[in-house]
Amino acid sequence: MPWVDVTTAVGTAGAAVLALGLGLRAEWRSTRLERQQNQLDIRRQATHVAAWMIVERRVDEDRTEIDPGDPSLDVCDPAYDPCGVHVYVIVQNASDQPIWDVTTHISVFVPKSKDSDELKSADIEDERIVIGPGETIRIPIETYTVSYNRLPIEVEFRDNAGGEWRRDDRGRLHYGRQSPASWAWIDDVAAIGKNRDD
């Protein structure tokens, strides 16, 4: 076998291996991009849901939002003045589809007893069956020491595709819930009814 035939055969085999390697690399990249796009599609609705707290004070007949760090809102400050103060948790669904089984968890300080000056920490939970597309709700909460209650606010919900989500007290989005939705029994009843029909 002449050298020319051997070098041609080796060169052809090398080119085939190189082409196969480049093709596999391109396929792997394409698959990776598809997986990333699928993850973005799954998270798309959930990224448009947020919760935060606002504090408003009634001045004359108007309500104006005030900074929760205002010293007049701190019971330990001599300038404490809770007159006309209202605290709200805002839950916003800025997506174009409804969210379901919405639960907000708010950590607050409340008096240890009815006539006590001492405070204890407590959790307030608010549940809603549904928040419509583009809807923002205001949940009034009763709390003391407002300046310490700006955070944490955690919200858990189910997107319209059935995915369970949790936005933690730092605003980070996580897949899954930490607490079961109270309204989940409705889905269980619907599933039982569907199984009977089948």
Side-chain angles (χ1 to χ4, degrees):
M1 183 182 231
W3 280 105
V4 173
D5 290 342
V6 170
T7 57
T8 303
V10 168
T12 303
V17 167
L18 180 63
L20 179 64
L22 290 174
L24 288 173
R25 181 178 176 197
E27 180 64 29
W28 179 79
R29 282 185 175 177
S30 173
T31 304
R32 185 181 70 179
L33 288 173
E34 285 177 17
R35 280 193 312 265
Q36 289 173 342
Q37 185 61 42
N38 286 342
Q39 287 297 323
L40 288 174
D41 288 344
I42 289 169
R43 295 173 64 94
R44 186 168 318 252
Q45 183 185 6
T47 60
H48 290 88
V49 177
W52 66 93
M53 186 186 88
I54 65 168
V55 180
E56 292 180 344
R57 173 171 272 149
R58 184 174 295 242
V59 179
D60 297 325
E61 291 302 315
D62 295 329
R63 286 188 179 181
T64 57
E65 188 174 339
I66 58 175
D67 181 13
D70 187 321
S72 69
L73 300 175
D74 186 353
V75 293
C76 299
D77 193 291
Y80 175 63
D81 179 18
C83 244
V85 172
H86 301 276
V87 181
Y88 298 95
V89 170
I90 308 297
V91 180
Q92 181 182 47
N93 175 17
S95 73
D96 58 355
Q97 297 177 349
I99 56 173
W100 305 88
D101 303 328
V102 182
T103 306
T104 52
H105 305 276
I106 307 117
S107 297
V108 296
F109 291 100
V110 296
K112 282 189 175 180
S113 63
K114 189 173 183 175
D115 298 326
S116 175
D117 289 341
E118 294 182 49
L119 299 173
K120 66 177 181 177
S121 64
D123 291 320
I124 298 174
E125 238 180 49
D126 184 82
E127 296 181 283
R128 306 292 165 119
I129 295 175
V130 64
I131 297 177
E135 187 177 354
T136 301
I137 63 166
R138 295 165 60 98
I139 304 164
I141 60 172
E142 294 278 331
T143 183
Y144 292 87
T145 62
V146 174
S147 60
Y148 303 118
N149 288 297
R150 187 169 198 168
L151 290 175
I153 297 172
E154 187 175 283
V155 63
E156 297 177 308
F157 60 95
R158 182 168 47 93
D159 65 20
N160 209 36
E164 301 280 349
W165 297 94
R166 177 176 62 89
R167 190 171 291 280
D168 69 16
D169 59 343
R170 294 186 181 203
R172 296 174 296 207
L173 189 62
H174 304 277
Y175 191 76
R177 293 178 85 107
Q178 286 190 329
S179 61
S182 296
W183 305 104
W185 65 269
I186 295 172
D187 295 333
D188 295 339
V189 169
I192 291 169
K194 184 178 179 189
N195 289 339
R196 286 184 186 165
D197 293 341
D198 292 340

